[in-house]
Amino acid sequence: MLPYVYVDAVRRSGGRAILLPPGGDDEEASATVASLDGLLVTGGPDIDPVRYGAARHPRTQAPATLRDAWDLAVTSHALRLGVPLLAICRGMQVLNVCRGGTLHQHLPDLVGHGRHDGPPNGFGLHRVQISPDSTLATMLPEDGFIEVPTHHHQAVDLLGDGLKAVAWEEDGTIEAVEAGPTEFDGFSGFVLGVQWHPEQGTDPRLFTALVSAAYGRAAAGRAEAERATAASTVLAPMI
């Protein structure tokens, strides 16, 4: 099950949405991602803390094993293949864990308030500040703090390799990550994770940026295919 607002957000930004149900193996994940122009990793349940080497907090949800495995696999392959990637809420946490990072399992224990949670069955609002020298700031160029829809009780702790923090809540919680320094393989293309829920708001700019990057990848793929076809074409000489 997926909230339909994600599909709406992609379509309104000019993209075509295809849902990828969990349960496939790594080979399927690789082949599936290779056929995509972009990937949106959505919100959802808590990641099993065994995935990042931690004991379970009493407030951490029961594991969704199939979804954890699938989301981590498709995210990893998107990074490997340079497929434009937007990761939202749990998706940002998946991105971080897939790069060896860890999570705070229950933010109220750390920050002493429940601003991040929102109401029990809905979304709240809180403010985040974006680093002015980030790629994210070129998409959301506001000065100072911006107000965003929120509903989460977990967040990035130790950053994964190849990621850098580029937005924070007023309490210091990391609210966005993008491609950064790495000791291993670098990322090519669009890589962005946000802890808030842009699909629940009225600002389409992050989805527009993803779809634009996806169109760019598709166009580059078509150009490469045309060059390959031209190089392999044999012309018979006229007698």
Side-chain angles (χ1 to χ4, degrees), residues 123-143:
F123 294 82
L125 293 171
H126 67 48
R127 302 198 304 165
V128 301
Q129 187 168 32
I130 298 170
S131 172
D133 61 352
S134 64
T135 301
L136 178 59
T138 67
M139 305 172 205
L140 305 176
E142 289 85 349
D143 294 329

Side-chain angles (χ1 to χ4, degrees), residues 114-193:
R115 250 192 336 258
H116 297 270
D117 292 359
N121 296 306
F123 294 82
L125 293 171
H126 67 48
R127 302 198 304 165
V128 301
Q129 187 168 32
I130 298 170
S131 172
D133 61 352
S134 64
T135 301
L136 178 59
T138 67
M139 305 172 205
L140 305 176
E142 289 85 349
D143 294 329
F145 286 91
I146 64 170
E147 198 168 57
V148 296
T150 181
H151 184 84
H152 66 102
H153 80 114
Q154 299 196 339
V156 165
D157 180 9
L158 176 68
L159 276 169
D161 181 69
L163 300 174
K164 63 178 179 180
V166 293
W168 300 263
E169 212 264 0
E170 293 173 285
D171 61 17
T173 299
I174 295 173
E175 288 283 331
V177 297
E178 62 186 39
T182 176
E183 297 179 7
F184 304 106
D185 50 326
F187 306 148
S188 61
F190 181 102
V191 178
L192 175 64

Side-chain angles (χ1 to χ4, degrees), residues 16-194:
R16 186 169 61 247
I18 299 172
L19 274 61
L20 307 180
D25 60 16
D26 188 72
E27 182 178 357
E28 180 182 337
S30 177
T32 299
V33 173
S35 69
L36 302 177
D37 299 318
L39 180 67
L40 173 62
V41 189
T42 67
D46 297 339
I47 301 169
D48 189 345
V50 73
R51 298 281 183 176
Y52 49 93
R56 181 178 304 279
H57 186 283
R59 297 295 295 274
T60 296
Q61 297 167 345
T65 305
L66 285 178
R67 182 164 179 189
D68 283 354
W70 181 249
D71 283 2
L72 288 163
V74 296
T75 300
S76 176
H77 287 299
L79 295 174
R80 177 179 62 83
L81 295 169
V83 174
L85 169 67
L86 173 60
I88 292 175
C89 197
R90 166 193 158 93
M92 179 173 119
Q93 297 165 12
V94 168
L95 171 60
N96 193 58
V97 170
C98 132
R99 296 299 298 178
T102 63
L103 304 178
H104 294 298
Q105 291 188 54
H106 192 58
L107 272 177
D109 291 349
L110 179 70
V111 298
H113 62 78
R115 250 192 336 258
H116 297 270
D117 292 359
N121 296 306
F123 294 82
L125 293 171
H126 67 48
R127 302 198 304 165
V128 301
Q129 187 168 32
I130 298 170
S131 172
D133 61 352
S134 64
T135 301
L136 178 59
T138 67
M139 305 172 205
L140 305 176
E142 289 85 349
D143 294 329
F145 286 91
I146 64 170
E147 198 168 57
V148 296
T150 181
H151 184 84
H152 66 102
H153 80 114
Q154 299 196 339
V156 165
D157 180 9
L158 176 68
L159 276 169
D161 181 69
L163 300 174
K164 63 178 179 180
V166 293
W168 300 263
E169 212 264 0
E170 293 173 285
D171 61 17
T173 299
I174 295 173
E175 288 283 331
V177 297
E178 62 186 39
T182 176
E183 297 179 7
F184 304 106
D185 50 326
F187 306 148
S188 61
F190 181 102
V191 178
L192 175 64
V194 295

